[in-house]
Amino acid sequence: MLTGLINGQVRSGSFDFDIGEIINYNLYEGFRLGLKGKLNENFNPYFSPDYYFAYGLSDDKFKYGIGLDIKTTLDKNSFFRIEYYDDVNSSGEFYRRLWTFRMRMMNYGNNINNDKYYRYEGASVSYLNDVTNGLTLAFAARRNTEEAKFDYNFRNSGATFENFNTLVTLKYSPNSTNIMTPQGKSLIDQKYPELYFNFEQSFKALGGDFNYTRFDALFVQNFKTGLGTTGLRLYGGLVLGEAPIWKHFTMNGLASPSRDINFNLTSYLGFATLEGGKFYNDRFVAYYLTHRLPWYFKSIGQNVSSLDFVLRGTIGDMKHPEYHDFRFRKLDHLYQEVGLEWNNFLSSYFNLGVFYRVGYYTTYNFKQNFAFQFKLKLLEF
């Protein structure tokens, strides 16, 4: 039960249920209610069917997926997977494949103010293998029909396309502690450094319309000195060739222009003061730097508080913005925001941060430059 919860699952007999899929929210679907279940080793140690279905209250549409994992061994994670799906996703999302449950939970709100969604229906065949305890490789071949669910035209060719592509994913985490359970490999203690890398290649084969190449990478490090604890995230992406906007990168804005005050939940890669769904690039680099001071204090109650200084920044470009007929901007100057987080705010189990936009994109409107951010303490760095 404990290892399942660490990985975001609740067990009931032969079923494992994903607690992260029960309720979510985004601007396109509104509240998304779902159920995702998987037959575990009590059903069969080698064959594990799974399913999910979800319903969006605003778009009034059902989404679903069915799949089957076929293990090649019980000594480590090594399995083939086939699946079929019909779902929607936000445009420009950074791939989260092989992320831990805690990282995914922290990033759920990353596109909460991005209403540029697309539908994808298709099938995939994949293989995942733990080469070593710290190195995981995954390969997938996918054939999808993809359709913009917003007013969009790509190179005067419409908004619906066929896409055949392959995706190679690597995760390198040499210092983390994992154990092998009947459910599979379970993370016990996440330690750094960590590296995540994705390489996607589309082909004009099997009816595919594209021949683009897409890379993205995330490096995470955390270290302690006499001056405190420093955390670093470096990430970026690149698209080569012609691809629709949802295969580019949105710049992870969390702010909403419709609010008088920017107040949002923290995100693993997001910017508290940047407007969501407004900026897209075909290449970018970004950083997230945080430093916890070695000073601890109490406010009310028994929990000990501390302070984190935060600096975030990103810059990129788009080679051919004229290919994409919809309203957006490219972010081609350095965007930065600075912040201060109060951990265990007022002795609670939440962190409260205040952030301010600095540099090129600063405006004369204080409310646009300023944001509050809330984070569950359990999510940590």
Side-chain angles (χ1 to χ4, degrees), residues 10-298:
V10 173
R11 172 162 292 198
S12 177
S14 296
F15 280 91
D16 293 334
F17 295 97
D18 190 333
I19 61 178
E21 298 293 332
I22 297 174
I23 183 167
N24 286 285
Y25 179 82
N26 59 72
L27 285 185
Y28 177 73
E29 296 176 283
F31 282 101
R32 174 181 167 123
L33 309 178
L35 183 65
K36 183 176 183 178
K38 185 177 185 67
L39 284 167
N40 56 45
E41 74 282 354
N42 294 327
F43 167 76
N44 188 286
Y46 285 92
F47 297 91
S48 182
D50 58 77
Y51 73 92
Y52 77 88
F53 64 86
Y55 176 73
L57 298 184
S58 291
D59 69 334
D60 193 26
K61 298 290 184 181
F62 281 98
K63 298 88 181 175
Y64 66 92
I66 55 175
L68 173 66
D69 289 348
I70 305 171
K71 295 181 181 179
T72 63
T73 178
L74 301 182
D75 297 329
K76 63 175 184 175
N77 272 358
S78 174
F79 57 87
F80 290 94
R81 176 171 176 79
I82 56 174
E83 59 184 323
Y84 180 84
Y85 39 77
D86 186 351
D87 208 336
V88 296
N89 198 12
S90 56
S91 296
E93 189 164 281
F94 196 89
Y95 284 145
R96 293 172 290 183
R97 186 157 167 75
L98 301 184
W99 282 23
T100 66
F101 172 68
R102 187 169 64 179
M103 292 168 65
R104 297 195 310 271
M105 279 293 293
M106 192 188 297
N107 211 55
Y108 271 137
N110 201 54
N111 283 296
I112 198 169
N113 287 314
N114 181 2
D115 62 351
K116 305 301 188 291
Y117 269 62
Y118 71 100
R119 177 190 175 195
Y120 60 99
E121 178 185 8
S124 75
V125 178
S126 61
Y127 174 67
L128 182 146
N129 182 35
D130 283 339
V131 180
T132 67
N133 186 58
L135 176 63
T136 300
L137 290 174
F139 173 83
R142 306 176 294 184
R143 175 62 169 81
N144 295 339
T145 299
E146 300 172 354
E147 175 192 7
K149 306 304 291 183
F150 56 99
D151 188 12
Y152 175 72
N153 193 322
F154 177 60
R155 302 209 69 186
N156 296 318
S157 298
T160 303
F161 304 96
E162 305 300 320
N163 192 352
F164 172 65
N165 65 67
T166 57
L167 175 65
V168 178
T169 303
L170 175 151
K171 176 184 178 180
Y172 183 59
S173 182
N175 298 323
S176 293
T177 302
N178 304 280
I179 61 171
M180 196 64 192
T181 72
Q183 295 169 271
K185 186 171 74 173
S186 181
L187 176 66
I188 298 301
D189 186 16
Q190 185 176 12
K191 293 184 178 179
Y192 305 101
E194 286 190 332
L195 174 66
Y196 300 82
F197 176 79
N198 293 285
F199 169 71
E200 180 180 351
Q201 179 65 56
S202 69
F203 300 92
K204 288 188 176 180
L206 298 180
D209 294 323
F210 305 114
N211 190 29
Y212 64 81
T213 302
R214 187 184 196 264
F215 303 88
D216 68 58
L218 166 66
F219 174 77
V220 186
Q221 177 63 292
N222 195 2
F223 51 91
K224 294 182 179 180
T225 68
L227 299 178
T229 303
T230 301
L232 174 66
R233 297 175 197 146
L234 295 174
Y235 55 103
L238 173 67
V239 179
L240 301 173
E242 299 176 6
I245 197 66
W246 51 84
K247 288 298 181 180
H248 290 58
F249 302 98
T250 185
M251 302 314 294
N252 301 315
L254 304 176
S256 172
S258 62
R259 297 186 189 141
D260 290 333
I261 298 178
N262 283 323
F263 182 85
N264 48 64
L265 298 177
T266 192
S267 169
Y268 201 75
L269 301 179
F271 290 81
T273 61
L274 181 63
E275 185 177 334
K278 182 177 181 179
F279 296 94
Y280 287 86
N281 285 347
D282 62 15
R283 63 204 65 198
F284 83 101
V285 292
Y287 59 86
Y288 178 120
L289 182 66
T290 179
H291 182 76
R292 179 167 300 174
L293 296 176
W295 175 54
Y296 300 92
F297 60 93
K298 289 185 177 181

Side-chain angles (χ1 to χ4, degrees), residues 345-364:
F345 176 67
L346 295 179
S347 199
S348 69
Y349 291 95
F350 296 91
N351 301 344
L352 179 66
V354 291
F355 290 85
Y356 194 81
R357 183 189 312 177
V358 296
Y360 180 86
Y361 290 96
T362 305
T363 72
Y364 293 106

Side-chain angles (χ1 to χ4, degrees), residues 302-316:
Q302 296 300 312
N303 285 338
V304 176
S305 296
S306 59
L307 296 175
D308 288 358
F309 288 104
V310 181
L311 174 64
R312 301 169 178 148
T314 184
I315 189 171

